[in-house]
Amino acid sequence: MGKRIFKAYLCRKDKGKNLENISISDFAKFSRTTTDTLRHYDKIGLLSPVLRGENNYRYYSIGQLAVVNVIRTLQSLGMTLDEIKKLSDYRTPEHMTETLTTQIDKIDAKIEEWVRARKLLFTLQNTMKSSLEVDENAITVEFLPAKAIILGDLNDYSGDRNDYDALHCFYINISNKYPGLDLNYPVWAVFSEERIKKGDFTWPDRYYFNNPEGYDKIPAALYAIGYTRGGYGQSDEIYKRLIDYIERNDLEICGNAYEEYPLNEVCVADDTNYLMKVMITVQKKNRNRN
């Protein structure tokens, strides 16, 4: 409400009264709170009316609007009314500046947290939406631009180690390498060209985070892309179909395969019906090769 309109309103409502005084009901409207809240503030000595009129009616000043707005803002940031009252009882510019600086720092940290959360949810949303539009039975060959990821080291399957051991090591190594990194992004798999050509699709060579701000990349290249339904690790069928398609269409494998699960336990209740996407790096066969 503009200052002129505000004063005109006061003139209409309280003609003949001090224009600086506002009834509790009007003060509640202007401060976007309730009369019960204001009475509670008064009861605990946090914010009292500047005067009481006939029948003990409470009246507030225009200046107290700024005070109640600060109280409500500090409450929304997690400060208790006891903490706010202590701040008010012993307020000085220096103490208030220090308190506000602390709260601003908390807000900045929360904003960073929300931005990270938004990026994660946006990535998941885009992945799911794009997967709903695909023909799951088709195999396509597409040139894909480079995509940012966070790539792990080569998996160690020596001794009795398995893919779950490798995944555990992946999380530990990435968290040590990039302290503070958001580890909530989906983890997907890389199979090397050699493994694919040998027909070994059991355990991946590496894992990677599908993080759009990653420091590594899935390279821009031509990919043969196929989909299948199943649980984690049930990928033999789609790899065999892709390899057969590659051989029949004058193509050859020339790089890694990337295995993703765009529809997984986040959005699919049946753990045997996840949607798997496999992308194998390919190129046209070189007919001039000896």
Side-chain angles (χ1 to χ4, degrees):
M1 183 178 292
K3 191 171 183 181
R4 291 182 180 177
I5 298 175
F6 183 69
K7 286 195 172 183
Y9 177 85
L10 291 177
C11 288
R12 291 197 308 272
K13 294 288 287 184
D14 299 302
K15 191 172 182 179
K17 296 181 180 178
N18 185 341
L19 292 182
E20 295 297 316
N21 298 332
I22 312 170
S23 69
I24 187 172
S25 59
D26 288 339
F27 190 81
K29 293 176 184 176
F30 299 146
S31 60
R32 300 177 305 283
T33 185
T34 67
T35 56
D36 286 342
T37 297
L38 293 173
R39 290 189 181 96
H40 181 65
Y41 289 169
D42 184 15
K43 181 179 179 180
I44 65 176
L46 177 59
L47 180 70
S48 297
V50 292
L51 65 85
R52 291 179 182 269
E54 298 175 1
N55 297 325
N56 207 29
Y57 288 166
R58 293 172 172 85
Y59 287 91
Y60 295 82
S61 70
I62 295 175
Q64 287 179 297
L65 286 171
V67 176
V68 75
N69 287 337
V70 171
I71 291 171
R72 295 176 68 248
T73 299
L74 293 177
Q75 271 191 281
S76 72
L77 294 173
M79 288 186 69
T80 66
L81 290 179
D82 286 342
E83 291 171 331
I84 298 171
K85 187 176 185 307
K86 289 177 183 177
L87 175 65
S88 176
D89 290 344
Y90 303 100
R91 63 186 179 275
T92 64
E94 293 78 13
H95 191 194
M96 183 60 74
T97 298
E98 180 182 351
T99 299
L100 296 182
T101 298
T102 299
Q103 296 304 318
I104 290 170
D105 289 343
K106 289 182 179 179
I107 291 172
D108 289 341
K110 182 60 69 174
I111 289 173
E112 290 180 9
E113 179 183 337
W114 285 341
V115 168
R116 288 196 301 270
R118 186 183 187 280
K119 289 178 180 177
L120 170 61
L121 297 182
F122 191 74
T123 299
L124 294 175
Q125 179 193 51
N126 280 350
T127 300
M128 292 176 192
K129 287 174 65 175
S130 63
S131 299
L132 294 175
E133 301 168 358
V134 301
D135 181 352
E136 297 180 18
N137 297 313
I139 291 178
T140 60
V141 177
E142 303 174 37
F143 181 86
L144 300 180
K147 184 171 79 167
I149 61 171
I150 296 177
L151 184 64
D153 298 330
L154 282 170
N155 294 335
D156 180 7
Y157 296 117
S158 62
D160 295 328
R161 295 183 180 90
N162 57 29
D163 54 339
Y164 287 101
D165 297 320
L167 183 60
H168 182 239
C169 288
F170 166 76
Y171 272 97
I172 293 174
N173 293 339
I174 292 295
S175 61
N176 289 337
K177 188 175 182 180
Y178 305 111
L181 180 72
D182 187 350
L183 303 182
N184 292 319
Y185 284 89
V187 176
W188 291 329
V190 182
F191 289 80
S192 68
E193 177 182 351
E194 293 74 21
R195 293 274 304 283
I196 296 301
K197 288 180 175 178
K198 288 192 300 183
D200 180 5
F201 323 122
T202 307
W203 292 339
D205 292 272
R206 298 173 186 263
Y207 290 107
Y208 67 92
F209 279 113
N210 183 39
N211 188 324
E213 294 185 344
Y215 314 107
D216 308 296
K217 289 186 182 298
I218 294 178
L222 195 66
Y223 292 91
I225 304 171
Y227 297 85
T228 191
R229 291 278 181 168
Y232 287 127
Q234 299 175 358
S235 56
D236 286 16
E237 180 268 337
I238 184 59
Y239 279 103
K240 291 175 181 177
R241 277 205 299 130
L242 279 165
I243 291 171
D244 179 65
Y245 179 92
I246 291 168
E247 292 175 349
R248 288 188 293 102
N249 286 273
D250 206 29
L251 299 167
E252 60 185 359
I253 299 171
C254 63
N256 294 331
Y258 299 88
E259 182 179 297
E260 304 181 347
Y261 287 80
L263 302 181
N264 53 33
E265 58 264 66
V266 173
C267 58
V268 177
D270 182 359
D271 63 3
T272 66
N273 196 40
Y274 298 157
L275 179 66
M276 178 196 299
K277 176 182 180 181
V278 174
M279 303 173 290
I280 301 179
T281 313
V282 295
Q283 64 185 11
K284 287 288 186 180
K285 283 185 179 178
N286 188 346
R287 293 298 186 182
N288 296 323
R289 189 180 302 161
N290 292 333

